[in-house]
mmCIF file with all atom_site columns, all heavy atoms in Angstrom:
data_model
loop_
_atom_site.group_PDB
_atom_site.id
_atom_site.type_symbol
_atom_site.label_atom_id
_atom_site.label_alt_id
_atom_site.label_comp_id
_atom_site.label_asym_id
_atom_site.label_entity_id
_atom_site.label_seq_id
_atom_site.pdbx_PDB_ins_code
_atom_site.Cartn_x
_atom_site.Cartn_y
_atom_site.Cartn_z
_atom_site.occupancy
_atom_site.B_iso_or_equiv
_atom_site.pdbx_formal_charge
_atom_site.auth_seq_id
_atom_site.auth_comp_id
_atom_site.auth_asym_id
_atom_site.auth_atom_id
_atom_site.pdbx_PDB_model_num
ATOM 1   N N   . LEU C 1 1  ? -2.435 -4.531 -16.301 1.00 0.00 ? 30 LEU C N   1
ATOM 2   C CA  . LEU C 1 1  ? -3.187 -3.364 -15.824 1.00 0.00 ? 30 LEU C CA  1
ATOM 3   C C   . LEU C 1 1  ? -4.034 -3.727 -14.611 1.00 0.00 ? 30 LEU C C   1
ATOM 4   O O   . LEU C 1 1  ? -4.114 -2.973 -13.641 1.00 0.00 ? 30 LEU C O   1
ATOM 5   C CB  . LEU C 1 1  ? -4.063 -2.791 -16.945 1.00 0.00 ? 30 LEU C CB  1
ATOM 6   C CG  . LEU C 1 1  ? -3.323 -1.990 -18.000 1.00 0.00 ? 30 LEU C CG  1
ATOM 7   C CD1 . LEU C 1 1  ? -4.267 -1.625 -19.145 1.00 0.00 ? 30 LEU C CD1 1
ATOM 8   C CD2 . LEU C 1 1  ? -2.707 -0.741 -17.407 1.00 0.00 ? 30 LEU C CD2 1
ATOM 9   N N   . GLU C 1 2  ? -4.646 -4.890 -14.663 1.00 0.00 ? 31 GLU C N   1
ATOM 10  C CA  . GLU C 1 2  ? -5.436 -5.366 -13.529 1.00 0.00 ? 31 GLU C CA  1
ATOM 11  C C   . GLU C 1 2  ? -4.549 -5.535 -12.295 1.00 0.00 ? 31 GLU C C   1
ATOM 12  O O   . GLU C 1 2  ? -4.899 -5.106 -11.192 1.00 0.00 ? 31 GLU C O   1
ATOM 13  C CB  . GLU C 1 2  ? -6.093 -6.699 -13.909 1.00 0.00 ? 31 GLU C CB  1
ATOM 14  C CG  . GLU C 1 2  ? -6.977 -7.293 -12.852 1.00 0.00 ? 31 GLU C CG  1
ATOM 15  C CD  . GLU C 1 2  ? -7.560 -8.634 -13.304 1.00 0.00 ? 31 GLU C CD  1
ATOM 16  O OE1 . GLU C 1 2  ? -7.889 -8.783 -14.487 1.00 0.00 ? 31 GLU C OE1 1
ATOM 17  O OE2 . GLU C 1 2  ? -7.669 -9.518 -12.444 1.00 0.00 ? 31 GLU C OE2 1
ATOM 18  N N   . LEU C 1 3  ? -3.394 -6.136 -12.496 1.00 0.00 ? 32 LEU C N   1
ATOM 19  C CA  . LEU C 1 3  ? -2.472 -6.333 -11.378 1.00 0.00 ? 32 LEU C CA  1
ATOM 20  C C   . LEU C 1 3  ? -1.906 -5.006 -10.876 1.00 0.00 ? 32 LEU C C   1
ATOM 21  O O   . LEU C 1 3  ? -1.719 -4.817 -9.677  1.00 0.00 ? 32 LEU C O   1
ATOM 22  C CB  . LEU C 1 3  ? -1.334 -7.271 -11.796 1.00 0.00 ? 32 LEU C CB  1
ATOM 23  C CG  . LEU C 1 3  ? -1.764 -8.720 -12.069 1.00 0.00 ? 32 LEU C CG  1
ATOM 24  C CD1 . LEU C 1 3  ? -0.624 -9.489 -12.692 1.00 0.00 ? 32 LEU C CD1 1
ATOM 25  C CD2 . LEU C 1 3  ? -2.258 -9.393 -10.810 1.00 0.00 ? 32 LEU C CD2 1
ATOM 26  N N   . GLN C 1 4  ? -1.660 -4.061 -11.777 1.00 0.00 ? 33 GLN C N   1
ATOM 27  C CA  . GLN C 1 4  ? -1.152 -2.758 -11.363 1.00 0.00 ? 33 GLN C CA  1
ATOM 28  C C   . GLN C 1 4  ? -2.189 -1.995 -10.543 1.00 0.00 ? 33 GLN C C   1
ATOM 29  O O   . GLN C 1 4  ? -1.843 -1.282 -9.610  1.00 0.00 ? 33 GLN C O   1
ATOM 30  C CB  . GLN C 1 4  ? -0.704 -1.933 -12.580 1.00 0.00 ? 33 GLN C CB  1
ATOM 31  C CG  . GLN C 1 4  ? 0.605  -2.427 -13.142 1.00 0.00 ? 33 GLN C CG  1
ATOM 32  C CD  . GLN C 1 4  ? 0.972  -1.777 -14.465 1.00 0.00 ? 33 GLN C CD  1
ATOM 33  O OE1 . GLN C 1 4  ? 0.123  -1.307 -15.209 1.00 0.00 ? 33 GLN C OE1 1
ATOM 34  N NE2 . GLN C 1 4  ? 2.264  -1.768 -14.767 1.00 0.00 ? 33 GLN C NE2 1
ATOM 35  N N   . ARG C 1 5  ? -3.468 -2.163 -10.883 1.00 0.00 ? 34 ARG C N   1
ATOM 36  C CA  . ARG C 1 5  ? -4.529 -1.530 -10.073 1.00 0.00 ? 34 ARG C CA  1
ATOM 37  C C   . ARG C 1 5  ? -4.500 -2.088 -8.651  1.00 0.00 ? 34 ARG C C   1
ATOM 38  O O   . ARG C 1 5  ? -4.593 -1.349 -7.671  1.00 0.00 ? 34 ARG C O   1
ATOM 39  C CB  . ARG C 1 5  ? -5.898 -1.751 -10.711 1.00 0.00 ? 34 ARG C CB  1
ATOM 40  C CG  . ARG C 1 5  ? -6.246 -0.759 -11.799 1.00 0.00 ? 34 ARG C CG  1
ATOM 41  C CD  . ARG C 1 5  ? -7.718 -0.828 -12.170 1.00 0.00 ? 34 ARG C CD  1
ATOM 42  N NE  . ARG C 1 5  ? -8.105 -2.117 -12.725 1.00 0.00 ? 34 ARG C NE  1
ATOM 43  C CZ  . ARG C 1 5  ? -8.035 -2.436 -14.012 1.00 0.00 ? 34 ARG C CZ  1
ATOM 44  N NH1 . ARG C 1 5  ? -7.593 -1.560 -14.882 1.00 0.00 ? 34 ARG C NH1 1
ATOM 45  N NH2 . ARG C 1 5  ? -8.417 -3.615 -14.426 1.00 0.00 ? 34 ARG C NH2 1
ATOM 46  N N   . THR C 1 6  ? -4.362 -3.411 -8.548  1.00 0.00 ? 35 THR C N   1
ATOM 47  C CA  . THR C 1 6  ? -4.269 -4.025 -7.226  1.00 0.00 ? 35 THR C CA  1
ATOM 48  C C   . THR C 1 6  ? -3.034 -3.523 -6.493  1.00 0.00 ? 35 THR C C   1
ATOM 49  O O   . THR C 1 6  ? -3.090 -3.186 -5.306  1.00 0.00 ? 35 THR C O   1
ATOM 50  C CB  . THR C 1 6  ? -4.224 -5.567 -7.356  1.00 0.00 ? 35 THR C CB  1
ATOM 51  O OG1 . THR C 1 6  ? -5.425 -6.004 -7.985  1.00 0.00 ? 35 THR C OG1 1
ATOM 52  C CG2 . THR C 1 6  ? -4.092 -6.227 -6.001  1.00 0.00 ? 35 THR C CG2 1
ATOM 53  N N   . ASN C 1 7  ? -1.922 -3.436 -7.203  1.00 0.00 ? 36 ASN C N   1
ATOM 54  C CA  . ASN C 1 7  ? -0.680 -2.960 -6.594  1.00 0.00 ? 36 ASN C CA  1
ATOM 55  C C   . ASN C 1 7  ? -0.844 -1.516 -6.104  1.00 0.00 ? 36 ASN C C   1
ATOM 56  O O   . ASN C 1 7  ? -0.388 -1.173 -5.006  1.00 0.00 ? 36 ASN C O   1
ATOM 57  C CB  . ASN C 1 7  ? 0.470  -3.072 -7.596  1.00 0.00 ? 36 ASN C CB  1
ATOM 58  C CG  . ASN C 1 7  ? 1.812  -2.865 -6.958  1.00 0.00 ? 36 ASN C CG  1
ATOM 59  O OD1 . ASN C 1 7  ? 2.093  -3.415 -5.897  1.00 0.00 ? 36 ASN C OD1 1
ATOM 60  N ND2 . ASN C 1 7  ? 2.648  -2.070 -7.573  1.00 0.00 ? 36 ASN C ND2 1
ATOM 61  N N   . SER C 1 8  ? -1.496 -0.668 -6.881  1.00 0.00 ? 37 SER C N   1
ATOM 62  C CA  . SER C 1 8  ? -1.726 0.728  -6.478  1.00 0.00 ? 37 SER C CA  1
ATOM 63  C C   . SER C 1 8  ? -2.568 0.790  -5.213  1.00 0.00 ? 37 SER C C   1
ATOM 64  O O   . SER C 1 8  ? -2.309 1.601  -4.318  1.00 0.00 ? 37 SER C O   1
ATOM 65  C CB  . SER C 1 8  ? -2.430 1.504  -7.596  1.00 0.00 ? 37 SER C CB  1
ATOM 66  O OG  . SER C 1 8  ? -1.594 1.632  -8.700  1.00 0.00 ? 37 SER C OG  1
ATOM 67  N N   . GLN C 1 9  ? -3.557 -0.064 -5.133  1.00 0.00 ? 38 GLN C N   1
ATOM 68  C CA  . GLN C 1 9  ? -4.405 -0.111 -3.942  1.00 0.00 ? 38 GLN C CA  1
ATOM 69  C C   . GLN C 1 9  ? -3.560 -0.489 -2.722  1.00 0.00 ? 38 GLN C C   1
ATOM 70  O O   . GLN C 1 9  ? -3.701 0.113  -1.655  1.00 0.00 ? 38 GLN C O   1
ATOM 71  C CB  . GLN C 1 9  ? -5.526 -1.131 -4.165  1.00 0.00 ? 38 GLN C CB  1
ATOM 72  C CG  . GLN C 1 9  ? -6.535 -1.193 -3.059  1.00 0.00 ? 38 GLN C CG  1
ATOM 73  C CD  . GLN C 1 9  ? -7.628 -2.212 -3.368  1.00 0.00 ? 38 GLN C CD  1
ATOM 74  O OE1 . GLN C 1 9  ? -7.428 -3.151 -4.138  1.00 0.00 ? 38 GLN C OE1 1
ATOM 75  N NE2 . GLN C 1 9  ? -8.769 -2.044 -2.765  1.00 0.00 ? 38 GLN C NE2 1
ATOM 76  N N   . MET C 1 10 ? -2.673 -1.460 -2.895  1.00 0.00 ? 39 MET C N   1
ATOM 77  C CA  . MET C 1 10 ? -1.815 -1.884 -1.792  1.00 0.00 ? 39 MET C CA  1
ATOM 78  C C   . MET C 1 10 ? -0.866 -0.743 -1.389  1.00 0.00 ? 39 MET C C   1
ATOM 79  O O   . MET C 1 10 ? -0.646 -0.508 -0.199  1.00 0.00 ? 39 MET C O   1
ATOM 80  C CB  . MET C 1 10 ? -0.978 -3.103 -2.193  1.00 0.00 ? 39 MET C CB  1
ATOM 81  C CG  . MET C 1 10 ? -1.759 -4.322 -2.607  1.00 0.00 ? 39 MET C CG  1
ATOM 82  S SD  . MET C 1 10 ? -2.971 -4.857 -1.400  1.00 0.00 ? 39 MET C SD  1
ATOM 83  C CE  . MET C 1 10 ? -4.266 -5.366 -2.485  1.00 0.00 ? 39 MET C CE  1
ATOM 84  N N   . GLU C 1 11 ? -0.332 -0.037 -2.371  1.00 0.00 ? 40 GLU C N   1
ATOM 85  C CA  . GLU C 1 11 ? 0.576  1.070  -2.071  1.00 0.00 ? 40 GLU C CA  1
ATOM 86  C C   . GLU C 1 11 ? -0.153 2.187  -1.312  1.00 0.00 ? 40 GLU C C   1
ATOM 87  O O   . GLU C 1 11 ? 0.413  2.793  -0.405  1.00 0.00 ? 40 GLU C O   1
ATOM 88  C CB  . GLU C 1 11 ? 1.188  1.620  -3.362  1.00 0.00 ? 40 GLU C CB  1
ATOM 89  C CG  . GLU C 1 11 ? 2.236  0.697  -3.945  1.00 0.00 ? 40 GLU C CG  1
ATOM 90  C CD  . GLU C 1 11 ? 2.754  1.159  -5.294  1.00 0.00 ? 40 GLU C CD  1
ATOM 91  O OE1 . GLU C 1 11 ? 2.242  2.153  -5.852  1.00 0.00 ? 40 GLU C OE1 1
ATOM 92  O OE2 . GLU C 1 11 ? 3.686  0.506  -5.798  1.00 0.00 ? 40 GLU C OE2 1
ATOM 93  N N   . ARG C 1 12 ? -1.415 2.455  -1.687  1.00 0.00 ? 41 ARG C N   1
ATOM 94  C CA  . ARG C 1 12 ? -2.186 3.482  -0.962  1.00 0.00 ? 41 ARG C CA  1
ATOM 95  C C   . ARG C 1 12 ? -2.355 3.093  0.501   1.00 0.00 ? 41 ARG C C   1
ATOM 96  O O   . ARG C 1 12 ? -2.243 3.933  1.386   1.00 0.00 ? 41 ARG C O   1
ATOM 97  C CB  . ARG C 1 12 ? -3.547 3.702  -1.624  1.00 0.00 ? 41 ARG C CB  1
ATOM 98  C CG  . ARG C 1 12 ? -3.477 4.525  -2.895  1.00 0.00 ? 41 ARG C CG  1
ATOM 99  C CD  . ARG C 1 12 ? -4.848 4.974  -3.361  1.00 0.00 ? 41 ARG C CD  1
ATOM 100 N NE  . ARG C 1 12 ? -5.771 3.883  -3.614  1.00 0.00 ? 41 ARG C NE  1
ATOM 101 C CZ  . ARG C 1 12 ? -5.846 3.217  -4.752  1.00 0.00 ? 41 ARG C CZ  1
ATOM 102 N NH1 . ARG C 1 12 ? -5.055 3.513  -5.760  1.00 0.00 ? 41 ARG C NH1 1
ATOM 103 N NH2 . ARG C 1 12 ? -6.732 2.246  -4.909  1.00 0.00 ? 41 ARG C NH2 1
ATOM 104 N N   . LEU C 1 13 ? -2.623 1.816  0.757   1.00 0.00 ? 42 LEU C N   1
ATOM 105 C CA  . LEU C 1 13 ? -2.768 1.376  2.146   1.00 0.00 ? 42 LEU C CA  1
ATOM 106 C C   . LEU C 1 13 ? -1.437 1.475  2.875   1.00 0.00 ? 42 LEU C C   1
ATOM 107 O O   . LEU C 1 13 ? -1.387 1.919  4.021   1.00 0.00 ? 42 LEU C O   1
ATOM 108 C CB  . LEU C 1 13 ? -3.299 -0.059 2.218   1.00 0.00 ? 42 LEU C CB  1
ATOM 109 C CG  . LEU C 1 13 ? -3.459 -0.632 3.631   1.00 0.00 ? 42 LEU C CG  1
ATOM 110 C CD1 . LEU C 1 13 ? -4.398 0.219  4.474   1.00 0.00 ? 42 LEU C CD1 1
ATOM 111 C CD2 . LEU C 1 13 ? -3.956 -2.052 3.577   1.00 0.00 ? 42 LEU C CD2 1
ATOM 112 N N   . LEU C 1 14 ? -0.355 1.092  2.215   1.00 0.00 ? 43 LEU C N   1
ATOM 113 C CA  . LEU C 1 14 ? 0.964  1.186  2.845   1.00 0.00 ? 43 LEU C CA  1
ATOM 114 C C   . LEU C 1 14 ? 1.269  2.621  3.275   1.00 0.00 ? 43 LEU C C   1
ATOM 115 O O   . LEU C 1 14 ? 1.846  2.847  4.337   1.00 0.00 ? 43 LEU C O   1
ATOM 116 C CB  . LEU C 1 14 ? 2.055  0.705  1.884   1.00 0.00 ? 43 LEU C CB  1
ATOM 117 C CG  . LEU C 1 14 ? 2.297  -0.791 1.831   1.00 0.00 ? 43 LEU C CG  1
ATOM 118 C CD1 . LEU C 1 14 ? 3.285  -1.123 0.724   1.00 0.00 ? 43 LEU C CD1 1
ATOM 119 C CD2 . LEU C 1 14 ? 2.794  -1.326 3.153   1.00 0.00 ? 43 LEU C CD2 1
ATOM 120 N N   . LYS C 1 15 ? 0.870  3.594  2.466   1.00 0.00 ? 44 LYS C N   1
ATOM 121 C CA  . LYS C 1 15 ? 1.119  5.000  2.797   1.00 0.00 ? 44 LYS C CA  1
ATOM 122 C C   . LYS C 1 15 ? 0.320  5.449  4.016   1.00 0.00 ? 44 LYS C C   1
ATOM 123 O O   . LYS C 1 15 ? 0.695  6.391  4.695   1.00 0.00 ? 44 LYS C O   1
ATOM 124 C CB  . LYS C 1 15 ? 0.797  5.891  1.599   1.00 0.00 ? 44 LYS C CB  1
ATOM 125 C CG  . LYS C 1 15 ? 1.815  5.758  0.489   1.00 0.00 ? 44 LYS C CG  1
ATOM 126 C CD  . LYS C 1 15 ? 1.441  6.598  -0.713  1.00 0.00 ? 44 LYS C CD  1
ATOM 127 C CE  . LYS C 1 15 ? 2.438  6.348  -1.841  1.00 0.00 ? 44 LYS C CE  1
ATOM 128 N NZ  . LYS C 1 15 ? 2.055  7.058  -3.056  1.00 0.00 ? 44 LYS C NZ  1
ATOM 129 N N   . LYS C 1 16 ? -0.794 4.779  4.290   1.00 0.00 ? 45 LYS C N   1
ATOM 130 C CA  . LYS C 1 16 ? -1.630 5.133  5.438   1.00 0.00 ? 45 LYS C CA  1
ATOM 131 C C   . LYS C 1 16 ? -1.093 4.562  6.747   1.00 0.00 ? 45 LYS C C   1
ATOM 132 O O   . LYS C 1 16 ? -1.489 4.988  7.815   1.00 0.00 ? 45 LYS C O   1
ATOM 133 C CB  . LYS C 1 16 ? -3.065 4.632  5.228   1.00 0.00 ? 45 LYS C CB  1
ATOM 134 C CG  . LYS C 1 16 ? -3.794 5.349  4.130   1.00 0.00 ? 45 LYS C CG  1
ATOM 135 C CD  . LYS C 1 16 ? -5.189 4.787  3.964   1.00 0.00 ? 45 LYS C CD  1
ATOM 136 C CE  . LYS C 1 16 ? -5.910 5.431  2.805   1.00 0.00 ? 45 LYS C CE  1
ATOM 137 N NZ  . LYS C 1 16 ? -7.257 4.858  2.626   1.00 0.00 ? 45 LYS C NZ  1
ATOM 138 N N   . ILE C 1 17 ? -0.208 3.580  6.653   1.00 0.00 ? 46 ILE C N   1
ATOM 139 C CA  . ILE C 1 17 ? 0.328  2.942  7.854   1.00 0.00 ? 46 ILE C CA  1
ATOM 140 C C   . ILE C 1 17 ? 1.387  3.868  8.447   1.00 0.00 ? 46 ILE C C   1
ATOM 141 O O   . ILE C 1 17 ? 2.315  4.264  7.754   1.00 0.00 ? 46 ILE C O   1
ATOM 142 C CB  . ILE C 1 17 ? 0.939  1.572  7.526   1.00 0.00 ? 46 ILE C CB  1
ATOM 143 C CG1 . ILE C 1 17 ? -0.127 0.637  6.940   1.00 0.00 ? 46 ILE C CG1 1
ATOM 144 C CG2 . ILE C 1 17 ? 1.571  0.945  8.767   1.00 0.00 ? 46 ILE C CG2 1
ATOM 145 C CD1 . ILE C 1 17 ? 0.442  -0.639 6.365   1.00 0.00 ? 46 ILE C CD1 1
ATOM 146 N N   . PRO C 1 18 ? 1.255  4.220  9.720   1.00 0.00 ? 47 PRO C N   1
ATOM 147 C CA  . PRO C 1 18 ? 2.263  5.080  10.347  1.00 0.00 ? 47 PRO C CA  1
ATOM 148 C C   . PRO C 1 18 ? 3.650  4.443  10.242  1.00 0.00 ? 47 PRO C C   1
ATOM 149 O O   . PRO C 1 18 ? 3.795  3.230  10.401  1.00 0.00 ? 47 PRO C O   1
ATOM 150 C CB  . PRO C 1 18 ? 1.809  5.160  11.812  1.00 0.00 ? 47 PRO C CB  1
ATOM 151 C CG  . PRO C 1 18 ? 0.365  4.806  11.790  1.00 0.00 ? 47 PRO C CG  1
ATOM 152 C CD  . PRO C 1 18 ? 0.188  3.859  10.648  1.00 0.00 ? 47 PRO C CD  1
ATOM 153 N N   . PRO C 1 19 ? 4.688  5.265  9.983   1.00 0.00 ? 48 PRO C N   1
ATOM 154 C CA  . PRO C 1 19 ? 6.048  4.735  9.795   1.00 0.00 ? 48 PRO C CA  1
ATOM 155 C C   . PRO C 1 19 ? 6.528  3.880  10.958  1.00 0.00 ? 48 PRO C C   1
ATOM 156 O O   . PRO C 1 19 ? 7.184  2.864  10.757  1.00 0.00 ? 48 PRO C O   1
ATOM 157 C CB  . PRO C 1 19 ? 6.913  5.987  9.645   1.00 0.00 ? 48 PRO C CB  1
ATOM 158 C CG  . PRO C 1 19 ? 5.971  7.065  9.231   1.00 0.00 ? 48 PRO C CG  1
ATOM 159 C CD  . PRO C 1 19 ? 4.633  6.707  9.795   1.00 0.00 ? 48 PRO C CD  1
ATOM 160 N N   . GLU C 1 20 ? 6.191  4.269  12.191  1.00 0.00 ? 49 GLU C N   1
ATOM 161 C CA  . GLU C 1 20 ? 6.661  3.495  13.337  1.00 0.00 ? 49 GLU C CA  1
ATOM 162 C C   . GLU C 1 20 ? 6.009  2.108  13.373  1.00 0.00 ? 49 GLU C C   1
ATOM 163 O O   . GLU C 1 20 ? 6.624  1.127  13.775  1.00 0.00 ? 49 GLU C O   1
ATOM 164 C CB  . GLU C 1 20 ? 6.431  4.249  14.652  1.00 0.00 ? 49 GLU C CB  1
ATOM 165 C CG  . GLU C 1 20 ? 4.991  4.534  14.997  1.00 0.00 ? 49 GLU C CG  1
ATOM 166 C CD  . GLU C 1 20 ? 4.414  5.800  14.349  1.00 0.00 ? 49 GLU C CD  1
ATOM 167 O OE1 . GLU C 1 20 ? 5.111  6.457  13.556  1.00 0.00 ? 49 GLU C OE1 1
ATOM 168 O OE2 . GLU C 1 20 ? 3.247  6.105  14.646  1.00 0.00 ? 49 GLU C OE2 1
ATOM 169 N N   . VAL C 1 21 ? 4.761  2.010  12.928  1.00 0.00 ? 50 VAL C N   1
ATOM 170 C CA  . VAL C 1 21 ? 4.074  0.717  12.889  1.00 0.00 ? 50 VAL C CA  1
ATOM 171 C C   . VAL C 1 21 ? 4.704  -0.143 11.792  1.00 0.00 ? 50 VAL C C   1
ATOM 172 O O   . VAL C 1 21 ? 4.974  -1.329 11.998  1.00 0.00 ? 50 VAL C O   1
ATOM 173 C CB  . VAL C 1 21 ? 2.560  0.910  12.637  1.00 0.00 ? 50 VAL C CB  1
ATOM 174 C CG1 . VAL C 1 21 ? 1.880  -0.428 12.401  1.00 0.00 ? 50 VAL C CG1 1
ATOM 175 C CG2 . VAL C 1 21 ? 1.924  1.644  13.808  1.00 0.00 ? 50 VAL C CG2 1
ATOM 176 N N   . LEU C 1 22 ? 4.971  0.449  10.655  1.00 0.00 ? 51 LEU C N   1
ATOM 177 C CA  . LEU C 1 22 ? 5.598  -0.261 9.552   1.00 0.00 ? 51 LEU C CA  1
ATOM 178 C C   . LEU C 1 22 ? 6.973  -0.781 9.959   1.00 0.00 ? 51 LEU C C   1
ATOM 179 O O   . LEU C 1 22 ? 7.332  -1.926 9.683   1.00 0.00 ? 51 LEU C O   1
ATOM 180 C CB  . LEU C 1 22 ? 5.716  0.679  8.354   1.00 0.00 ? 51 LEU C CB  1
ATOM 181 C CG  . LEU C 1 22 ? 5.840  0.077  6.978   1.00 0.00 ? 51 LEU C CG  1
ATOM 182 C CD1 . LEU C 1 22 ? 4.738  -0.921 6.699   1.00 0.00 ? 51 LEU C CD1 1
ATOM 183 C CD2 . LEU C 1 22 ? 5.843  1.170  5.934   1.00 0.00 ? 51 LEU C CD2 1
ATOM 184 N N   . GLU C 1 23 ? 7.725  0.044  10.646  1.00 0.00 ? 52 GLU C N   1
ATOM 185 C CA  . GLU C 1 23 ? 9.055  -0.353 11.112  1.00 0.00 ? 52 GLU C CA  1
ATOM 186 C C   . GLU C 1 23 ? 8.953  -1.519 12.097  1.00 0.00 ? 52 GLU C C   1
ATOM 187 O O   . GLU C 1 23 ? 9.723  -2.476 12.032  1.00 0.00 ? 52 GLU C O   1
ATOM 188 C CB  . GLU C 1 23 ? 9.740  0.846  11.778  1.00 0.00 ? 52 GLU C CB  1
ATOM 189 C CG  . GLU C 1 23 ? 11.194 0.599  12.111  1.00 0.00 ? 52 GLU C CG  1
ATOM 190 C CD  . GLU C 1 23 ? 11.859 1.845  12.684  1.00 0.00 ? 52 GLU C CD  1
ATOM 191 O OE1 . GLU C 1 23 ? 11.624 2.939  12.154  1.00 0.00 ? 52 GLU C OE1 1
ATOM 192 O OE2 . GLU C 1 23 ? 12.594 1.688  13.674  1.00 0.00 ? 52 GLU C OE2 1
ATOM 193 N N   . GLU C 1 24 ? 7.984  -1.449 12.995  1.00 0.00 ? 53 GLU C N   1
ATOM 194 C CA  . GLU C 1 24 ? 7.781  -2.522 13.978  1.00 0.00 ? 53 GLU C CA  1
ATOM 195 C C   . GLU C 1 24 ? 7.444  -3.838 13.270  1.00 0.00 ? 53 GLU C C   1
ATOM 196 O O   . GLU C 1 24 ? 7.972  -4.901 13.615  1.00 0.00 ? 53 GLU C O   1
ATOM 197 C CB  . GLU C 1 24 ? 6.640  -2.122 14.921  1.00 0.00 ? 53 GLU C CB  1
ATOM 198 C CG  . GLU C 1 24 ? 6.408  -3.102 16.047  1.00 0.00 ? 53 GLU C CG  1
ATOM 199 C CD  . GLU C 1 24 ? 5.300  -2.636 16.986  1.00 0.00 ? 53 GLU C CD  1
ATOM 200 O OE1 . GLU C 1 24 ? 5.092  -1.426 17.142  1.00 0.00 ? 53 GLU C OE1 1
ATOM 201 O OE2 . GLU C 1 24 ? 4.641  -3.525 17.563  1.00 0.00 ? 53 GLU C OE2 1
#
């Protein structure tokens, strides 16, 4: 559960990254 909370936080940040930046 602790690790899943960290993973969720990382996923939220990933969603904030513009797709073109992520692709680059």
Side-chain angles (χ1 to χ4, degrees):
L30 284 173
E31 182 181 323
L32 293 171
Q33 285 171 335
R34 276 193 297 272
T35 299
N36 192 45
S37 293
Q38 185 179 24
M39 301 306 143
E40 286 174 355
R41 283 192 302 275
L42 179 58
L43 276 173
K44 288 177 184 175
K45 292 179 184 179
I46 299 170
E49 63 276 4
V50 172
L51 203 53
E52 189 176 317
E53 185 178 330

